[in-house]
Amino acid sequence: LFVAETSIMTKLLQWLLGVSLLGAIWAVVAFDLLELSLTRTYREVAWPMPLYLLVSFGCYSLATVGYRVATFNDCDEAARELQEQIKEAKDDLKKKGLRM
Amino acid sequence: MASRKALQPNRVNGDKYSVLLPTYNERENLPLIVWLLVKYFGENGYHYEIIVIDDRSPDGTLEVAEQLQKIYGEDKILLRPREKKLGLGTAYIHGMRHATGNFIIIMDADLSHHPKFIPQFIKKQKEGDYDLVSGTRYQGDGGVYGWDLRRKLISRGANFLTQVLLRPGASDLTGSFRLYKKKVLESLVERCVSKGYVFQMEMIVRARQLNYTIGEVPISFVDRVYGESKLGGNEIVSFVKGLLTLFATT
């Protein structure tokens, strides 16, 4: 539902909505706001979740960016080809009358 | 109907590609990029024109452009000079005003973008009737020449941040080697307000908003300028500012 309405809702608002929703669920479970009488395990697992998620996302980001930097293609062949074509172009243009 | 066809002879034969080349101090590179464009368009038999938008370059770029016009013809090389160094968005608008192609190709004039990819852009566009085709350095066998580790790190880091915040549906947002349907470019340029790198990003983001389809082609980016113009703190700051603005407003 929210994804379909991207043209009306800015990315910032989408994020705020998502974070608020998750935040509300977390608060309800971690602090037992609605007195749902959940077992202790739920509360103990929920409480550190935000930190866990933040750290996990941090690790994911570092790993992803690191991987992408490591596998960033170096186009040596393209540079060589360009150099050759530059020579060819200069000769041809000189023949055609270009004065540099 | 008959008189309409006479006024637009190129449309009868099919598609025409207008290449917009904003230039500033490209006296050395302009002849080379034009030569390459003529080579690859010619080899594939496409109809084309090259529109040079020079912002009063002090090194005589316009004079070289005039020589090229004599060599290749005024129907192939069009000159649309401007009074002073202005923005990229206005350069596109200015260049498009007299473009007779139904497709527009934007690219850098400093040989970092190679015309050999243009036939691939054209083929890709036809494959899916894409509204725009974007060259990507980050996918397939796309890549870069001449960047050190620092530059690669900044590039990938910035792109990652952009993907997380904007989820744009394209892998290379700051790239400026693209093929657009003319009416698509026209509608996008008038909506975009950013400058520099962020302008190219905004184009893609707005394209998605308007439900335009985007195709991608891996390209190689040969940076011969990086050694002289390091990516400094100022540019990074303005990039982040621009990104956050897009995040909050689109």
Side-chain angles (χ1 to χ4, degrees):
Chain A
L1 185 70
F2 302 121
V3 171
E5 301 254 289
T6 47
S7 57
I8 301 168
M9 198 184 270
T10 66
K11 289 287 180 293
L12 177 60
L13 286 178
Q14 284 177 17
W15 270 77
L16 289 177
L17 197 69
V19 168
S20 308
L21 216 64
L22 289 175
I25 296 173
W26 173 75
V28 164
V29 175
F31 300 110
D32 202 17
L33 296 179
L34 297 179
E35 294 182 12
L36 297 170
S37 5
L38 298 163
T39 59
R40 275 194 75 83
T41 344
Y42 274 96
R43 292 224 303 262
E44 281 172 7
V45 166
W47 164 233
M49 262 309 160
L51 192 61
Y52 283 174
L53 290 176
L54 218 60
V55 170
S56 303
F57 178 70
C59 292
Y60 166 75
S61 303
L62 285 176
T64 304
V65 173
Y67 173 74
R68 288 175 179 174
V69 169
T71 56
F72 211 154
N73 281 333
D74 280 309
C75 305
D76 299 323
E77 187 52 52
R80 251 196 304 274
E81 181 191 42
L82 183 63
Q83 285 306 110
E84 287 171 11
Q85 287 182 323
I86 287 176
K87 277 199 208 83
E88 202 188 326
K90 282 186 173 163
D91 290 337
D92 191 35
L93 286 166
K94 208 178 291 175
K95 275 199 215 97
K96 290 190 158 82
L98 186 79
R99 288 170 346 265
M100 292 289 275
Chain B
M1 276 300 136
S3 59
R4 255 226 202 121
K5 276 194 178 175
L7 283 172
Q8 301 171 320
N10 293 304
R11 293 296 167 86
V12 176
N13 297 331
D15 301 310
K16 186 173 182 184
Y17 301 89
S18 301
V19 181
L20 298 185
L21 280 183
T23 61
Y24 191 74
N25 285 344
E26 295 291 359
R27 187 200 177 82
E28 301 273 324
N29 291 325
L30 185 61
L32 303 172
I33 189 102
V34 167
W35 188 87
L36 286 169
L37 284 165
V38 170
K39 173 184 159 81
Y40 285 97
F41 274 124
E43 271 173 12
N44 290 279
Y46 295 126
H47 291 293
Y48 69 99
E49 62 186 2
I50 301 168
I51 303 173
V52 180
I53 304 137
D54 186 57
D55 286 355
R56 256 257 168 117
S57 301
D59 72 346
T61 303
L62 191 57
E63 194 260 325
V64 169
E66 283 163 359
Q67 285 190 54
L68 289 166
Q69 220 181 17
K70 287 201 190 65
I71 294 173
Y72 290 111
E74 284 180 12
D75 58 325
K76 289 280 183 293
I77 315 279
L78 277 62
L79 304 182
R80 295 274 168 266
R82 301 199 294 179
E83 287 305 303
K84 57 178 184 159
K85 199 169 197 307
L86 297 166
L88 204 55
T90 47
Y92 292 156
I93 294 173
H94 185 75
M96 272 195 292
R97 207 164 273 145
H98 303 276
T100 56
N102 53 332
F103 288 99
I104 309 278
I105 293 167
I106 63 159
M107 62 191 299
D108 291 349
D110 62 1
L111 295 175
S112 52
H113 294 146
H114 198 302
K116 70 177 176 181
F117 293 106
I118 291 179
Q120 294 178 34
F121 280 32
I122 293 173
K123 210 173 301 167
K124 184 77 191 180
Q125 191 282 323
K126 300 232 170 289
E127 249 174 53
D129 192 30
Y130 292 107
D131 295 310
L132 75 101
V133 177
S134 177
T136 173
R137 296 158 292 177
Y138 299 133
Q139 278 198 346
D141 54 1
V144 180
Y145 174 83
W147 279 7
D148 58 10
L149 190 63
R150 174 184 176 268
R151 184 69 181 86
K152 285 183 185 176
L153 195 58
I154 294 173
S155 181
R156 284 293 199 174
N159 183 260
F160 179 78
L161 191 60
T162 307
Q163 295 290 332
V164 167
L165 290 180
L166 300 181
R167 300 194 319 274
S171 64
D172 191 344
L173 280 235
T174 54
S176 51
F177 192 5
R178 299 183 186 157
L179 166 69
Y180 291 86
K181 287 183 183 170
K182 187 172 178 204
K183 53 180 166 56
V184 170
L185 184 58
E186 282 168 346
S187 79
L188 287 175
V189 172
E190 65 185 28
R191 285 179 164 78
C192 291
V193 295
S194 324
K195 306 261 175 279
Y197 290 122
V198 187
F199 173 75
Q200 302 293 357
M201 282 165 50
E202 194 184 353
M203 297 276 271
I204 297 268
V205 170
R206 300 244 177 250
R208 292 279 292 175
Q209 271 185 335
L210 296 169
N211 287 317
Y212 288 135
T213 53
I214 303 173
E216 293 197 294
V217 169
I219 57 158
S220 54
F221 181 91
V222 177
D223 197 338
R224 301 148 81 217
V225 174
Y226 175 53
E228 301 142 35
S229 66
K230 299 235 173 265
L231 193 67
N234 277 337
E235 280 164 303
I236 295 177
V237 166
S238 62
F239 168 82
V240 173
K241 266 201 228 153
L243 176 58
L244 291 177
T245 308
L246 283 180
F247 178 64
T249 58
T250 61

